[in-house]
């Protein structure tokens, strides 16, 4: 399940991270023919617009930082760009001088909304469960969810 995007927002890409990672544009799911390309995008989303180095991406994608791992990142990047270009949304990712990032101004994301706007309506306790590296962010999301729920109920300590 994902949030329907109104026609006013139709030029934004919607990224679903809760209960699995998926990308939507104009209300339609974007298909990735390469799992590493999709995971590379997921890593950039997880970093929330902060730049991620080639070495970091190599480590996330293969637990190594050698030349072969870095070449694998280059291939995944090429496939990711090709997928995004086919949909006309290649501008959502950026690369420069060995650094990669997502263009936050062009996308909406359920987990970002929760962290920035305290909107928890889509969080059911899972964050990109297909990626083990996402468990770190999941712990922050659970903490944020608890804070939001405490605010709703008057902030309180337990009985």
């Amino acid at each position: 399940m994902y949030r329907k995007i109104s026609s006013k927002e139709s030029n934004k890409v919607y990224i679903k991270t809760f209960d699995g990672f998926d990308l939507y544009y104009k209300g339609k799911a974007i298909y990735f023919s390469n799992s590493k390309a999709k995971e590379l995008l997921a890593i950039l989303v997880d970093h929330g617009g902060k730049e991620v180095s080639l070495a970091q991406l190599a480590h996330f994608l293969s637990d190594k930082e050698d030349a072969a791992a870095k070449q694998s990142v280059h291939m995944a990047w090429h496939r990711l760009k090709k997928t995004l270009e086919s949909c006309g949304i290649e501008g959502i990712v950026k690369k420069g001088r060995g650094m990669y990032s997502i263009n936050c101004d062009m996308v909406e994301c359920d987990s970002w909304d929760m962290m920035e706007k305290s909107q928890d309506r889509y969080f059911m306790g899972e964050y990109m469960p297909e990626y083990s590296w996402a468990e770190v962010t999941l712990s922050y999301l659970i903490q944020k969810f608890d804070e939001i729920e405490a605010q709703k109920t008057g902030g309180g300590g337990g009985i």
Side-chain angles (χ1 to χ4, degrees), residues 23 43 59 73 79 150:
L23 181 73
I43 294 164
H59 180 75
V73 171
R79 290 177 175 146

Side-chain angles (χ1 to χ4, degrees), residues 1 14 16-20 110-115 118-129 134-135 137-149 152:
M1 177 163 80
Y14 183 72
K16 180 180 83 67
T17 60
F18 296 152
D19 195 32
D110 54 4
S111 56
W112 299 351
D113 285 348
M114 185 172 152
M115 295 302 285
S118 295
Q119 296 177 354
D120 67 339
R121 61 184 172 241
Y122 304 110
F123 185 63
M124 302 294 280
E126 288 193 351
Y127 173 78
M128 294 199 249
E135 291 176 8
T137 302
L138 176 60
S139 64
Y140 290 113
L141 290 168
I142 291 170
Q143 181 179 6
K144 181 66 173 182
F145 179 79
D146 290 343
E147 290 171 12
I148 293 167
E149 290 300 305
K152 288 179 186 176

Side-chain angles (χ1 to χ4, degrees), residues 60-113:
F60 277 116
L61 292 174
S62 66
D63 284 332
K64 298 176 185 171
E65 295 178 25
D66 60 10
K70 290 177 181 177
Q71 182 60 32
S72 177
V73 171
H74 289 301
M75 289 298 298
W77 177 260
H78 174 73
R79 290 177 175 146
L80 172 61
K81 288 291 283 187
K82 194 172 182 177
T83 298
L84 298 175
E85 284 171 4
S86 72
C87 301
I89 56 172
E90 64 274 8
I92 70 167
V93 292
K94 301 183 278 187
K95 176 184 173 190
R97 294 185 178 238
M99 301 300 280
Y100 302 75
S101 64
I102 189 155
N103 185 346
C104 296
D105 295 332
M106 294 183 70
V107 299
E108 287 189 29
C109 178
D110 54 4
S111 56
W112 299 351
D113 285 348

Side-chain angles (χ1 to χ4, degrees), residues 3-12 26:
R3 183 175 70 85
K4 294 265 186 201
I5 298 176
S6 71
S7 58
K8 175 181 107 175
E9 302 170 308
S10 65
N11 289 331
K12 286 223 177 183
K26 296 185 178 181

